[in-house]
Amino acid sequence: MAESNPAPGFARDPGRRMDYAPAGARVRVVFAGETVADTGNAVALREADYPVVYYVPRADARMDLMERSARATHCPFKGDASYWTLAAAGRRAEDAVWSYEAPFDEARAIDGLLAFYPDKVDRIEVG
């Protein structure tokens, strides 16, 4: 099957590594003392020299604690990202959550999944 939405970043940097795989462990995200995500179905993204990023299915996240923000960014390897602000127990973390809702073909493994900035949540537990 031919790709219909290839990532332009790979044309400029064909050696770029983007490895998507099941996390193989429980991933739990805590913010303001609340569990905002808890799943056994996370996808781990290993990209270049960056720390592993865990993407969580929305069904396993507390979307009621998230407000969509106006922020949007573009990655030439994954596509356009949308953001959410976390709000719980009187605390807010602006743009703490992101998702690629229509990723490039090479990033389909994280289509619609959520990721969390580790420095904007209390903790991300893996295992």
Side-chain angles (χ1 to χ4, degrees):
M1 177 174 153
E3 295 183 342
S4 60
N5 188 23
F10 291 107
R12 291 189 310 270
D13 187 0
R16 178 74 171 234
R17 298 279 307 170
M18 306 279 287
D19 296 316
Y20 301 94
R26 178 182 179 198
V27 175
R28 183 172 174 254
V29 181
V30 178
F31 172 73
E34 295 273 349
T35 297
V36 296
D38 191 350
T39 187
N41 296 310
V43 171
L45 167 58
R46 289 168 178 80
E47 175 183 3
D49 295 329
Y50 299 113
V52 175
V53 175
Y54 296 95
Y55 285 83
V56 174
R58 291 179 193 213
D60 297 333
R62 295 276 314 270
M63 297 303 294
D64 61 310
L65 300 178
M66 299 179 206
E67 304 165 6
R68 187 180 284 266
S69 80
R71 183 174 186 209
T73 59
H74 178 78
C75 171
F77 299 96
K78 295 184 285 291
D80 296 323
S82 301
Y83 290 79
W84 285 261
T85 293
L86 281 172
R91 284 182 49 202
R92 291 179 62 79
E94 301 293 326
D95 302 323
V97 184
W98 77 91
S99 178
Y100 292 93
E101 297 176 288
F104 292 126
D105 294 335
E106 296 87 346
R108 284 188 192 138
I110 57 169
D111 188 359
L113 303 181
L114 303 170
F116 298 80
Y117 282 108
D119 61 340
K120 293 188 176 192
V121 297
D122 297 347
R123 64 188 176 277
I124 298 174
E125 301 169 352
V126 181

